[in-house]
Amino acid sequence: MPRLHRNIWLGLIVMLFALALAFVLIPVGVSSPRSVRSIVLSPILWPTIIAWMIFIGGGLLVGQQLLGRREPDHLDEWANPRHGAWFRLAALAVLMAGYYLAIAYIGMVWASALAFLVLTLIIRSRYRITALIVAFALPLFTYAFFYHVAGVPIPQGEFIRLP
């Protein structure tokens, strides 16, 4: 049997992780009240969708490798990472921790907007104007839908309260 490429192994591990999320971790770890009117409002819906998206992504990675698109053998990304990649990964970890802490003070809407803006800086996006618009419009529209239409409370901060 030929030696499997590391991206095939990575894709298979990602797919197994997604299955563990969908069938074990989400049903055990996410509680859903019986009084939920619609499946769309259930707290289990979005984690399950994300788990299946992760599964599909792993499957696409495996499929890409099996169809013959391989990276050259002389490139070893772990031995010679691109300039600043580890710094950006560390900055992303700090961003996630800061986002978690900021929700209590400024609320989920504004913390999400700021986190999205900082993320565009970390990944060096070329579309800064679009990112600025999306960073504020998406959390505000999401808040408006969930709070005013669906009746689901969104965490508000201590300093800034939305109507």
Side-chain angles (χ1 to χ4, degrees):
M1 181 169 137
R3 186 174 149 245
L4 291 176
H5 197 270
R6 73 176 171 177
N7 283 346
I8 292 177
W9 283 111
L10 178 63
L12 292 173
I13 291 170
V14 166
M15 291 170 70
L16 285 173
F17 173 71
L19 290 174
L21 275 176
F23 293 114
V24 178
L25 297 173
I26 292 171
V28 170
V30 179
S31 62
S32 179
R34 297 191 192 279
S35 63
V36 174
R37 302 176 298 214
S38 172
I39 187 69
V40 177
L41 300 177
S42 174
I44 292 179
L45 176 71
W46 287 108
T48 304
I49 289 174
I50 291 171
W52 286 111
M53 289 173 63
I54 292 171
F55 181 82
I56 291 169
L60 290 173
L61 185 61
V62 170
Q64 174 186 2
Q65 292 303 309
L66 291 177
L67 290 176
R69 293 189 61 195
R70 303 195 186 282
E71 63 186 40
D73 291 332
H74 67 278
L75 294 178
D76 189 6
E77 200 169 304
W78 292 101
N80 188 15
R82 285 192 239 163
H83 180 69
W86 292 109
F87 175 75
R88 286 192 303 276
L89 186 62
L92 183 62
V94 170
L95 171 65
M96 288 188 288
Y99 173 68
Y100 175 76
L101 296 172
I103 289 175
Y105 294 106
I106 60 175
M108 184 174 276
V109 174
W110 302 116
S112 298
L114 292 175
F116 190 89
L117 283 176
V118 172
L119 180 65
T120 59
L121 294 175
I122 291 173
I123 64 172
R124 300 178 184 169
S125 174
R126 291 181 287 175
Y127 307 103
R128 295 204 173 135
I129 301 298
T130 305
L132 182 66
I133 293 168
V134 169
F136 287 100
L138 186 62
L140 287 172
F141 286 134
T142 305
Y143 166 78
F145 171 76
F146 278 105
Y147 188 73
H148 295 292
V149 176
V152 177
I154 301 296
Q156 296 282 334
E158 295 176 13
F159 303 115
I160 303 172
R161 310 267 302 148
L162 292 171

